Amino acid sequence: MTEQNLSSSNIVLEGVRVHNLKNFNLQIARNLLTVICGVSGSGKSSLAFDVLFAEGQRRYVETFSPYARQFLDRIERPDVDRIEGIPPAIAIRQNARTNSARSTIGTRTEIVDYLRILFAEAGDVVCPECDLPAVRMTADSATEFLLKVGEGWRAMLVFDPVDQEDTSVAERLEQQRRHGFARCIINGVSLSIDDVLAARPDRCDSPDYKVSVQIIADRIRLDRSAAGRIAESLEQIFAVADGRCAALVEAGVTTESSASTASATVIVDGKQWQVVPLSVRLMCRQCGHEFETATPEMLNFQSPLGACPTCEGTGQVSGMSFDRVVPDTSLSLQDGAIRPWTTPAYRHELDELLALAADFDLPVNVPFAELTSRHRQLIHDGVPECRFGGLTGFHRWLVRNRYKQGVSVWLNRWRSWLDCPDCHGSRLIASAGCVKLRGLTITTAAQQELDQLAEWVDAVVADLSDEMQSALSSVVAQLTSRLRFLNDCGLSYLSLDRSMRTLSGGEAQRVVLTSALGSGLINTLYVLDEPTSGLHPNDAAKVIAAARQLQRLGNTVVVVEHDPDFIRAADLIVEIGPAAGAAGGNVVFQGTPAELIHTAQTATATGLTDLDASSHTISRPRRTPSRWLSFVGVRCHNICDLSGRLPLDVICVVTGVSGSGKSSLIVDALYPAICQKLGQPCAVEADGVVAELTGVEQIADICLLDQSPLRGSSRSIPATMIGCFDDIRKVLADTHEARKRNYRAGTFSFNSAKGGRCPDCEGRGVVTVEMQFLADIQTTCEACHGRRFRPDVLEVRHRNRNIDDILQMTADDAFLFFNGQQRIQQRLNALRQAGLGYLCIGQPVSTLSGGEAQRLRIAALLAGVPLADESVPVPTSRSTTAAAATLFVLDEPSTGLHLRDISALMKCLNHLVEIGHSVIVIEHDPQVVRHCDVVVELGPGPGRHGGRIVSAAD
């Protein structure tokens, strides 16, 4: 085969030297499913994203016009000798979630866009008061309607003259007389227009003279023989009355007092007439209320035309709730039940409340839980006449002054996000709720679980006329195919209105895959980052099928993955290793899955071989719990009135199929309830209700490690995360050269503008080029060449190493380098215990893989350091009392971990238990489940089929 044919059927890489990759050559077959595997930190993501995706993106940019490329000259080429045969690339990373409050599953998959078109074209506008469809009328249809509702009765066709600004009654009546109309109704009396103008010329000529005026267009008996005359009159009225009129149908004689109680009747000349509104606009036939025409923009909460003006399309508004500001309801107001008002800065708010208490009979010495609703309303709403704003006024002040950093932090800590009082969480304007299709509004349709929504869409399509089905064929095809894909991927328990930021990493990637499949692209390189993370093993086959579907469309699919089932299902395997960090970076295997299992001696091959053999073994005796955390009446999402207990002093795993309610129970319900009992801030919004919770007194603190990105600035590095960078800077500041130059520890900080950081990149080492239509591009800073500091700062050395040299060290090397610095070594050893000894202590946290980020959280726990704004206790020694223990809650800590790395994770968790703490793990991975002491399984299915404890065994 010639070189040209080789490059057309393969992606050819020569001399790959990115990060820790060791100058290797590699060929990846196009239009196949290739899995890149290896231990965590071996270089998989570097090959997949920093080489394949980066070069594919760069070459795509080169197809732009010369004018556009002049803004993109700073895109760096990967450190590779030669790359041939690479197609345009799309990357779907683990951080596919977004923090935008408007980003939902529906918007991310574009399903809601097609749903809006379906509602606008096939839906009905229904009057919310009468529950009747609004209709448009023509002269003929209005005639038929009148004959149907009042045949045989006398009627008057009337209309309101168009009211123009600064126009007198006389001018309006004169205008209608010129149109041929002779009579009118003024204040319930029918009169001749000539008589009105002759009798009251002075008053009618004044623009300030206000009177109820209706023009009588025709008087007629509603009969089939007069249908032509009725239609002709209506057509004339619609032309001169802006498309609106009414038929007054005689309903018998009545008194004025009795008529006033009937909303659809009027008194004219002492007789009661039924009002039948008619309009060429969209209108309710019963009450006459007019509605806007349904459009896709009106149903779009991301458009100014459809977004609720109060919440601006987010469905929530900021406010103060007692659940957040009163963590301990057993305290009285005088004892500081309202926590934000106990600090010196805001103590005056509490003083004002206490001063008003006697005047409003507000008890200040009883527990907050015993206060009545009237008392709570007074605290919440305040007393404006006494210049006390309450929690509402306090919140308004914080919002107005949030430009101050301290106030902004305080606001974010204590405020809650509440359902919008106007749209009630629907995000849309009120008129959008009037559009219904088969009994559902677009809001209620988006709240359905995806499998139910798919059935509803099929029923809607079956009800459409042949003409409508033909017009909406492309919309229906996209809608049904995308819903089918989400259901096939195991996400049937989700709904379209679910926020993207609440999804796990695996769920988010599968949602993004839906858009990729719906785009219909071919000859494209898709790079996926562990799409099975957060997925139960029973559902892995569905994601594999989705990746296969991408490949069958004519695309090249490269997946970074640890899942054994995904590895076995691939066409080709590329394993990077043999170890992590500097010990990795080589291609240790390339071939088929069968060749990997039967002939290779790599870490992945060994793990796959030993997986079945060790499926029922555990290397240590299982612990038996002696203390329990009991809960009663938990309600959260798909969990309804659940009761049970969780063990303490052991490693307890909560498992079950995806969507069974694991995170809802532990993270959304129990964790906030425990935080409230302990009186500590909660890192998540409470979505659930716990009726009764006992056993909390047995723990002193609780710490949550969820799947959210590591909190910290873009300059965060492992050394700052584990808390040793401050000590390293002090060591450098204590050198002779630093003291001679009067350098302090802050000089060696790249987080402070007053320090010695590079002014061009502000201590990041890279410069970000913001792109409008592509992902932002990062290039190495030309001033410091990625070293972060000014040249004079880099001249200061400790043991012949400057600050940049130290940050380039691995945790293992730095542990030896700082021999004798006990505090630094203790914290670096936490990295080593977590299996991250290969990690450079100065590597940007944003470049870490998912598994490395999770283990860095564990390392911070072992080092006893809070992760940014997270409250993490210090587990350093065995507790002397039971109440000193901490409960650690970990949400899928095995994400991104190789089979071999799970043992290191479990050693860390066992260490936490051995020094007196308790661990609850939400996990799917069989390796983790096998090494836990107690297993609690939720299910039996996802969504509405789950939410129950189906098994609890040790």
Side-chain angles (χ1 to χ4, degrees):
M1 182 180 293
T2 65
E3 182 177 354
Q4 182 178 0
N5 291 333
L6 182 65
S7 64
S8 63
S9 59
N10 295 277
I11 300 174
V12 179
L13 308 175
E14 293 183 0
V16 182
R17 295 178 297 274
V18 175
H19 297 159
N20 66 329
L21 301 181
K22 301 293 178 39
N23 197 27
F24 58 74
N25 301 333
L26 180 66
Q27 294 180 12
I28 298 176
R30 295 181 59 167
N31 300 330
L32 293 180
L33 174 59
T34 300
V35 169
I36 301 177
C37 60
V39 298
S40 301
S42 59
K44 306 182 299 298
S45 296
S46 296
L47 173 61
F49 293 98
D50 299 327
V51 176
L52 293 174
F53 169 66
E55 182 64 11
Q57 183 189 41
R58 189 185 69 85
R59 294 196 179 186
Y60 171 68
V61 169
E62 286 183 348
T63 64
F64 291 1
S65 65
Y67 173 78
R69 288 204 308 271
Q70 68 176 322
F71 303 103
L72 309 173
D73 289 340
R74 303 185 68 177
I75 299 179
E76 295 181 353
R77 180 182 177 183
D79 189 8
V80 179
D81 290 339
R82 184 170 76 97
I83 300 180
E84 295 293 340
I86 189 168
I90 294 176
I92 303 177
R93 300 178 182 267
Q94 284 186 4
N95 58 354
R97 291 175 293 179
T98 176
N99 288 326
S100 172
R102 293 183 180 85
S103 181
T104 64
I105 292 177
T107 60
R108 193 65 181 83
T109 59
E110 301 173 356
I111 292 177
V112 73
D113 295 333
Y114 297 105
L115 201 60
R116 282 196 289 266
I117 298 175
L118 183 64
F119 267 87
E121 297 297 329
D124 295 321
V125 177
V126 179
C127 177
E129 301 294 333
C130 309
D131 198 27
L132 294 175
V135 295
R136 297 178 185 277
M137 292 184 177
T138 62
D140 292 334
S141 64
T143 300
E144 288 297 323
F145 178 67
L146 285 176
L147 292 174
K148 180 179 179 181
V149 299
E151 187 172 5
W153 292 88
R154 289 196 308 152
M156 291 188 292
L157 300 180
V158 301
F159 65 92
D160 297 327
V162 178
D163 187 6
Q164 299 177 355
E165 188 176 358
D166 297 331
T167 302
S168 67
V169 173
E171 290 173 326
R172 280 181 279 162
L173 291 176
E174 180 64 34
Q175 183 181 16
Q176 300 304 325
R177 185 169 62 176
R178 290 197 299 267
H179 287 157
F181 301 109
R183 297 189 67 80
C184 66
I185 300 174
I186 297 181
N187 293 335
V189 179
S190 62
L191 300 168
S192 167
I193 294 178
D194 293 335
D195 293 343
V196 173
L197 294 177
R200 301 178 179 179
D202 296 334
R203 299 177 65 185
C204 291
D205 287 340
S206 173
D208 297 329
Y209 178 58
K210 303 297 181 183
V211 67
S212 174
V213 177
Q214 285 184 307
I215 305 300
I216 301 176
D218 200 358
R219 295 187 179 194
I220 195 170
R221 182 174 295 276
L222 299 179
D223 191 86
R224 288 286 172 183
S225 60
R229 174 181 168 181
I230 298 173
E232 183 178 352
S233 297
L234 288 174
E235 189 169 356
Q236 181 185 12
I237 296 172
F238 288 152
V240 300
D242 198 23
R244 299 185 184 93
C245 71
L248 303 185
V249 181
E250 186 178 11
V253 179
T254 185
T255 62
E256 185 174 349
S257 59
S258 62
S260 62
T261 62
S263 60
T265 60
V266 295
I267 302 297
V268 178
D269 296 337
K271 295 182 179 180
Q272 180 172 300
W273 301 78
Q274 189 77 24
V275 179
V276 180
L278 306 171
S279 176
V280 296
R281 292 177 172 82
L282 204 57
M283 183 195 68
C284 174
R285 288 175 171 175
Q286 182 164 312
C287 66
H289 184 76
E290 292 187 355
F291 300 90
E292 298 180 38
T293 303
T295 63
E297 291 77 15
M298 186 180 77
L299 303 174
N300 185 3
F301 58 79
Q302 293 182 315
S303 167
L305 299 178
C308 169
T310 302
C311 63
E312 298 180 343
T314 62
Q316 294 181 318
V317 293
S318 175
M320 290 280 183
S321 69
F322 289 122
D323 290 339
R324 174 61 70 90
V325 302
V326 185
D328 187 357
T329 57
S330 65
L331 295 177
S332 66
L333 292 176
Q334 194 165 21
D335 292 336
I338 304 176
R339 185 66 64 84
W341 293 351
T342 59
T343 61
Y346 302 109
R347 174 75 190 188
H348 64 276
E349 297 281 352
L350 179 59
D351 293 339
E352 292 177 14
L353 175 63
L354 297 178
L356 294 171
D359 296 337
F360 292 91
D361 194 25
L362 175 65
V364 298
N365 294 316
V366 302
F368 188 87
E370 298 179 9
L371 296 181
T372 65
S373 58
R374 182 181 66 85
H375 296 146
R376 297 191 181 203
Q377 184 176 3
L378 184 147
I379 298 171
H380 188 274
D381 298 339
V383 186
E385 57 269 21
C386 298
R387 302 180 64 84
F388 172 64
L391 287 176
T392 301
F394 180 59
H395 174 261
R396 283 197 300 265
W397 184 88
L398 291 175
V399 171
R400 285 197 306 269
N401 293 272
R402 65 183 181 274
Y403 63 90
K404 303 175 183 178
Q405 184 176 2
V407 174
S408 177
V409 172
W410 200 252
L411 175 65
N412 291 331
R413 179 177 180 182
W414 294 110
R415 70 175 170 184
S416 300
W417 290 100
L418 312 172
D419 282 346
C420 175
D422 290 342
C423 69
H424 305 289
S426 71
R427 304 167 179 254
L428 296 168
I429 57 177
S431 57
C434 299
V435 184
K436 291 187 177 181
L437 181 60
R438 198 177 172 83
L440 298 182
T441 66
I442 192 170
T443 300
T444 54
Q447 291 171 347
Q448 287 193 313
E449 293 185 3
L450 293 176
D451 55 351
Q452 293 178 312
L453 181 61
E455 296 175 359
W456 178 82
V457 169
D458 292 339
V460 168
V461 174
D463 291 343
L464 296 178
S465 64
D466 294 340
E467 182 181 358
M468 185 67 74
Q469 286 188 15
S470 177
L472 297 175
S473 58
S474 60
V475 172
V476 171
Q478 286 287 344
L479 191 58
T480 54
S481 64
R482 295 182 187 224
L483 285 173
R484 185 185 307 113
F485 173 77
L486 287 174
N487 288 319
D488 291 344
C489 279
L491 298 179
S492 60
Y493 57 90
L494 298 178
S495 58
L496 292 183
D497 67 342
R498 176 80 174 265
S499 174
M500 284 293 293
R501 59 185 177 185
T502 66
L503 302 182
S504 67
E507 288 172 336
Q509 284 203 72
R510 282 174 277 161
V511 168
V512 176
L513 272 175
T514 306
S515 298
L517 285 171
S519 65
L521 294 177
I522 60 173
N523 296 325
T524 302
L525 171 63
Y526 283 92
V527 184
L528 312 182
D529 191 7
E530 299 185 33
T532 63
S533 62
L535 189 63
H536 193 273
N538 292 343
D539 297 325
K542 300 174 181 178
V543 178
I544 297 171
R548 276 291 180 198
Q549 186 175 350
L550 273 179
Q551 178 255 327
R552 284 194 296 268
L553 290 174
N555 300 299
T556 303
V557 181
V558 175
V559 183
V560 178
E561 189 56 84
H562 296 294
D563 183 75
D565 293 332
F566 214 124
I567 293 174
R568 294 187 181 102
D571 296 319
L572 294 174
I573 303 293
V574 175
E575 183 169 357
I576 308 297
N586 288 305
V587 178
V588 296
F589 175 81
Q590 183 178 9
T592 64
E595 293 171 344
L596 173 70
I597 296 173
H598 295 107
T599 64
Q601 300 296 320
T602 63
T604 302
T606 303
L608 292 174
T609 303
D610 297 341
L611 190 60
D612 295 333
S614 60
S615 60
H616 301 289
T617 63
I618 184 170
S619 59
R620 57 168 179 80
R622 296 187 187 273
R623 305 178 184 91
T624 301
S626 59
R627 299 184 299 160
W628 300 83
L629 187 68
S630 301
F631 53 88
V632 177
V634 176
R635 295 179 177 272
C636 183
H637 301 156
N638 65 330
I639 297 176
C640 297
D641 200 22
L642 181 67
S643 300
R645 62 178 187 171
L646 296 172
L648 300 175
D649 302 322
V650 296
I651 303 177
C652 171
V653 61
V654 180
T655 187
V657 298
S658 301
S660 59
K662 304 180 297 298
S663 296
S664 297
L665 172 63
I666 305 299
V667 178
D668 297 335
L670 292 182
Y671 168 70
I674 295 173
C675 288
Q676 184 176 15
K677 286 274 189 179
L678 295 175
Q680 71 177 47
C682 181
V684 299
E685 288 287 339
D687 287 338
V689 176
V690 182
E692 184 179 347
L693 184 64
T694 58
V696 180
E697 69 280 356
Q698 302 174 91
I699 60 175
D701 213 334
I702 184 170
C703 173
L704 171 66
L705 276 75
D706 58 12
Q707 300 177 60
S708 60
L710 285 173
R711 297 184 176 102
S713 70
S714 58
R715 289 180 286 270
S716 296
I717 58 176
T720 60
M721 288 295 183
I722 63 171
C724 69
F725 192 43
D726 291 343
D727 297 307
I728 292 174
R729 292 190 289 110
K730 291 177 182 178
V731 170
L732 286 165
D734 198 41
T735 61
H736 174 72
E737 185 67 22
R739 291 198 303 270
K740 184 173 68 174
R741 301 186 183 198
N742 198 27
Y743 287 170
R744 302 183 182 274
T747 306
F748 301 94
S749 171
F750 47 71
N751 286 317
S752 173
K754 299 180 180 179
R757 71 185 188 186
C758 170
D760 288 25
C761 64
E762 297 181 338
R764 294 180 176 87
V766 295
V767 177
T768 301
V769 180
E770 295 184 356
M771 309 290 290
Q772 286 187 331
F773 304 107
L774 297 172
D776 293 345
I777 298 171
Q778 288 188 337
T779 62
T780 302
C781 176
E782 297 177 356
C784 66
H785 304 288
R787 304 178 77 181
R788 298 173 178 259
F789 294 93
R790 301 193 309 258
D792 58 302
V793 176
L794 295 173
E795 293 174 359
V796 177
R797 293 178 175 269
H798 171 69
R799 295 182 183 176
N800 204 32
R801 300 290 181 91
N802 62 25
I803 182 64
D804 179 65
D805 296 331
I806 293 174
L807 292 179
Q808 297 302 320
M809 291 181 181
T810 64
D812 289 331
D813 293 338
F815 182 82
L816 298 176
F817 178 77
F818 287 103
N819 185 29
Q821 301 286 339
Q822 184 177 359
R823 182 179 172 88
I824 296 177
Q825 284 190 305
Q826 175 189 355
R827 302 202 166 180
L828 289 172
N829 192 50
L831 280 176
R832 302 169 72 208
Q833 285 181 292
L836 297 176
Y838 64 89
L839 205 63
C840 291
I841 63 174
Q843 180 179 343
V845 167
S846 59
T847 65
L848 299 182
S849 66
E852 289 170 336
Q854 286 286 47
R855 283 183 291 167
L856 181 56
R857 295 175 185 268
I858 302 294
L861 293 181
L862 296 176
V865 178
L867 282 175
D869 61 341
E870 298 180 60
S871 178
V872 180
V874 182
T876 55
S877 61
R878 182 78 187 180
S879 302
T880 57
T881 63
T886 296
L887 175 61
F888 293 96
V889 178
L890 294 86
D891 192 358
E892 299 184 16
S894 70
T895 299
L897 295 187
H898 188 268
L899 294 172
R900 195 178 73 177
D901 298 317
I902 291 179
S903 60
L905 168 68
M906 298 313 298
K907 287 181 181 179
C908 295
L909 299 185
N910 277 300
H911 175 70
L912 291 174
V913 175
E914 288 169 0
I915 62 176
H917 306 288
S918 304
V919 176
I920 295 177
V921 182
I922 302 171
E923 190 55 79
H924 293 122
D925 192 284
Q927 290 281 84
V928 176
V929 174
R930 187 162 56 245
H931 286 81
C932 293
D933 300 302
V934 178
V935 179
V936 176
E937 183 174 359
L938 268 67
R944 64 186 185 278
H945 303 296
R948 300 189 294 275
I949 297 178
V950 297
S951 173
D954 52 14

